[in-house]
């Protein structure tokens, strides 16, 4: 809203300072500051409200040290993240931008699914929460919306260098062509780093590229479902999910900034994505909200994000990665989520296999997800979280370095 107001004031009255709102970095800075303030100042009020309504976490007895002390800690704290993100975005972002609209829809959509899950756990006293099939249906529904929008919306385009020209100073310059629709993505570590989803159905013959959505949309659905579930599994000890997610989202912000800048995308030999730079404002607000939430979520946590927060975080990360065409980097960048999910799959699969084969189930880890394994080994929560953050930072650096290692 303020973006359009100051744009009007600049055009009509040349108001001093109004032109600052045309700068992406200025609006991103305002977004991160405002989201931090909202999360830190009004977060306390939300926590007190949750306590007043007795919206506390019911803890399953898993035999973990310090677990019983957490009973009654307010949950649904993901509301802090959602509110702290959306308000700055509405104020400072170009909310007509299709990418910003998609992320707002993602935040609200996944927030509602997570809220329903937390509501059932808290007020219906059902520890299972929303049944898995309904949760997956919600994730698939979001993936379908995102996939269809990115495939068919006319504003979702790429612009590639398609010719060279020699200037009067005898310098060779690359000339960018017109915006085109394409379902291509960047492949890390490879020199010819493009993958076209349409290639998977090229065997269908001429005109097969018109049906690339048959491949693209299921991939989007898979990524949204996998990453949101991964974030959900990671949310098990104080500060782990919020801190790890802040690192991931900040890295995606760098990708969005360079992909939306014609000079940097040219230098780094990645797709130039018109209008995608506006994501930086949303990402800045989201990072601020996550860091502000950590103010109350670090050990010992005063509030838990619940599925309201974790499912929202995972959905937003997945959609940003798909938009900036870095979805193939997710196993690296979201390595913490990936390891947590993998530990659960391995544990369950191995237990079922050994029970069927030997009549008694055996385990690979002391407990899954992975962070509980280290809790069982009597590592303190703070040590586990800090070490996971360090690993997350290393994975983020590796992901950024892939821009030039090819």
């Amino acid at each position: 809203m303020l973006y359009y107001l100051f744009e009007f004031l600049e055009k009509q009255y040349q108001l001093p300072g109004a032109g600052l709102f045309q700068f992406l970095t200025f609006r991103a800075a305002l977004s991160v500051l405002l989201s931090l303030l909202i999360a830190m100042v009004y977060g306390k009020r939300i926590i007190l409200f949750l306590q007043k309504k007795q919206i506390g976490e019911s803890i399953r007895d898993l035999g973990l040290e310090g677990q019983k002390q957490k009973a009654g800690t307010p949950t649904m704290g993901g509301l802090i993240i959602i509110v702290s993100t959306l308000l700055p975005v509405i104020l400072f972002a170009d909310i007509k931008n299709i990418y910003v609209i998609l992320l707002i829809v993602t935040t609200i959509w996944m927030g509602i699914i997570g809220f329903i899950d937390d509501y059932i756990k808290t007020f219906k006293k059902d520890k299972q929460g929303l049944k898995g099939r309904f949760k997956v249906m919600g994730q698939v529904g979001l993936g379908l919306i995102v996939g269809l929008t990115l495939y068919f919306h006319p504003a979702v385009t790429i612009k590639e260098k398609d010719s060279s020209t020699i200037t009067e100073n005898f310098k060779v310059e690359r000339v960018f062509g017109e915006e085109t629709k394409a379902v291509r993505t960047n492949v890390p570590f490879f020199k010819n780093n493009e993958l076209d989803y349409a290639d998977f159905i090229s065997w269908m013959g001429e005109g097969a590229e018109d049906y690339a959505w048959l491949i693209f949309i299921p991939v989007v659905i898979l990524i949204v479902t996998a990453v949101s579930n991964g974030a959900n599994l990671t949310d098990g000890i104080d500060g782990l999910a919020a801190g790890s997610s802040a690192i991931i989202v900040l890295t995606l912000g760098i990708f969005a900034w360079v992909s939306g800048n014609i000079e940097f995308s040219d230098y780094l030999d990645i797709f130039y994505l018109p209008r995608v730079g506006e994501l930086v404002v949303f990402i800045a607000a989201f990072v601020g909200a996550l860091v502000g939430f950590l103010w109350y979520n670090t050990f010992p946590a005063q509030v838990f994000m619940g599925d309201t927060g974790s499912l929202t975080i995972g959905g937003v990360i997945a959609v940003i990665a798909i938009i900036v065409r870095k979805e193939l980097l997710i196993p690296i960048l979201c390595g913490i989520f990936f390891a947590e999910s993998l530990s659960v799959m391995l544990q369950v699969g191995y237990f079922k296999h050994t029970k069927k084969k030997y009549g008694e189930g055996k385990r690979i880890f002391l407990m899954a997800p992975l962070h509980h394994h280290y809790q069982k080994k009597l590592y303190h929560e703070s040590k586990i979280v800090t070490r996971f953050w360090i690993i997350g930072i290393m994975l983020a650096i590796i992901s950024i370095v892939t821009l030039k290692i090819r």
Side-chain angles (χ1 to χ4, degrees):
M1 293 181 181
L2 290 180
Y3 169 75
Y4 298 113
L5 173 62
F6 281 95
E7 183 182 45
F8 171 78
L9 293 174
E10 168 68 14
K11 288 180 179 178
Q12 297 296 322
Y13 305 106
Q14 289 75 51
L15 183 71
L20 280 171
F21 276 78
Q22 299 305 308
F23 290 96
L24 197 60
T25 49
F26 179 73
R27 289 186 287 124
L30 289 179
S31 292
V32 72
L33 287 173
L34 182 58
S35 61
L36 265 171
L37 285 172
I38 293 172
M40 292 170 64
V41 175
Y42 289 96
K44 184 64 175 178
R45 298 186 182 183
I46 293 174
I47 293 170
L48 292 174
F49 173 79
L50 294 173
Q51 288 175 332
K52 185 178 179 181
K53 296 296 182 181
Q54 297 182 332
I55 304 175
E57 182 78 35
S58 61
I59 303 293
R60 286 189 303 162
D61 187 8
L62 300 175
L64 299 171
E65 186 178 352
Q67 184 184 25
K68 292 182 180 178
Q69 287 83 349
K70 295 186 179 186
T73 302
T75 187
M76 292 190 187
L79 292 170
I80 298 172
I81 298 171
I82 293 170
V83 172
S84 302
T85 299
L86 292 181
L87 286 180
V89 169
I90 292 169
L91 287 174
F92 301 125
D94 177 4
I95 53 175
K96 293 179 183 177
N97 183 291
I98 184 59
Y99 300 120
V100 173
I101 292 171
L102 265 182
L103 285 175
I104 291 174
V105 170
T106 299
T107 304
I108 296 172
W109 184 287
M110 296 303 289
I112 290 172
I113 295 172
F115 181 85
I116 293 170
D117 188 58
D118 288 333
Y119 182 87
I120 293 171
K121 289 177 181 176
T122 305
F123 292 101
K124 302 298 182 182
K125 305 302 179 184
D126 182 354
K127 293 181 181 180
Q128 298 301 316
L130 184 65
K131 293 191 181 299
R133 62 176 179 274
F134 295 119
K135 197 180 294 186
V136 171
M137 283 171 59
Q139 293 165 330
V140 170
L142 176 64
L144 193 61
I145 291 171
V146 172
L148 288 169
T149 303
L150 292 179
Y151 188 85
F152 290 107
H153 197 283
V156 179
T157 60
I158 64 173
K159 185 180 279 192
E160 296 182 283
K161 300 180 289 290
D162 61 359
S163 63
S164 300
T165 185
I166 300 177
T167 66
E168 293 179 357
N169 298 324
F170 300 101
K171 291 183 178 179
V172 177
E173 290 186 352
R174 298 289 280 168
V175 178
F176 280 79
E178 295 182 356
E179 295 181 25
T180 58
K181 294 287 296 179
V183 283
R184 295 204 291 274
T185 190
N186 290 116
V187 181
F189 302 114
F190 289 90
K191 189 171 182 64
N192 298 318
N193 63 325
E194 291 185 13
L195 172 67
D196 193 335
Y197 289 108
D199 289 342
F200 290 103
I201 55 172
S202 58
W203 54 269
M204 293 173 62
E206 188 176 348
E209 62 275 6
D210 295 335
Y211 299 94
W213 59 271
L214 291 171
I215 302 296
F216 179 69
I217 292 175
V219 168
V220 172
I221 291 172
L222 176 64
I223 292 170
V224 169
T225 303
V227 178
S228 57
N229 284 330
N232 188 233
L233 289 171
T234 304
D235 180 33
I237 50 179
D238 301 347
L240 178 57
S244 301
S245 300
I247 295 165
I248 293 168
V249 176
L250 185 60
T251 307
L252 287 171
I254 295 171
F255 289 138
W257 188 61
V258 297
S259 297
N261 185 293
I262 198 165
E263 298 294 336
F264 283 110
S265 59
D266 181 22
Y267 172 70
L268 294 169
D269 192 26
I270 58 176
F271 296 125
Y272 168 53
L273 306 173
R275 294 169 293 279
V276 88
E278 197 64 29
L279 285 185
V280 175
V281 180
F282 183 98
I283 289 169
F286 199 55
V287 170
L290 288 169
V291 174
F293 177 76
L294 271 174
W295 185 269
Y296 300 107
N297 187 238
T298 49
F299 182 86
Q302 295 172 255
V303 65
F304 300 138
M305 68 171 66
D307 283 18
T308 306
S310 60
L311 289 177
T312 302
I313 287 170
V316 168
I317 288 173
V319 174
I320 294 173
I322 294 164
I323 288 173
V324 298
R325 319 230 173 186
K326 295 293 181 290
E327 64 268 28
L328 297 183
L329 265 178
I330 284 176
I332 300 173
L333 179 58
C334 301
I336 298 297
F337 296 173
F338 182 70
E340 296 276 27
S341 299
L342 187 62
S343 68
V344 172
M345 289 188 286
L346 289 174
Q347 186 87 320
V348 172
Y350 187 70
F351 184 86
K352 288 182 176 179
H353 170 72
T354 52
K355 188 172 184 178
K356 184 178 180 180
K357 189 172 182 178
Y358 303 109
E360 181 182 356
K362 297 181 180 180
R363 293 173 174 83
I364 300 173
F365 305 100
L366 296 177
M367 184 178 287
L370 189 60
H371 57 263
H372 286 326
H373 170 77
Y374 291 106
Q375 280 186 286
K376 281 288 190 180
K377 295 186 74 171
L378 302 181
Y379 284 69
H380 192 276
E381 279 192 41
S382 296
K383 178 173 284 190
I384 298 169
V385 170
T386 303
R387 288 183 175 178
F388 273 51
W389 285 357
I390 292 170
I391 294 169
I393 292 169
M394 291 170 60
L395 294 172
I397 293 170
I398 293 171
S399 300
I400 294 170
V401 168
T402 62
L403 288 171
K404 288 304 291 180
I405 295 181
R406 290 201 275 272

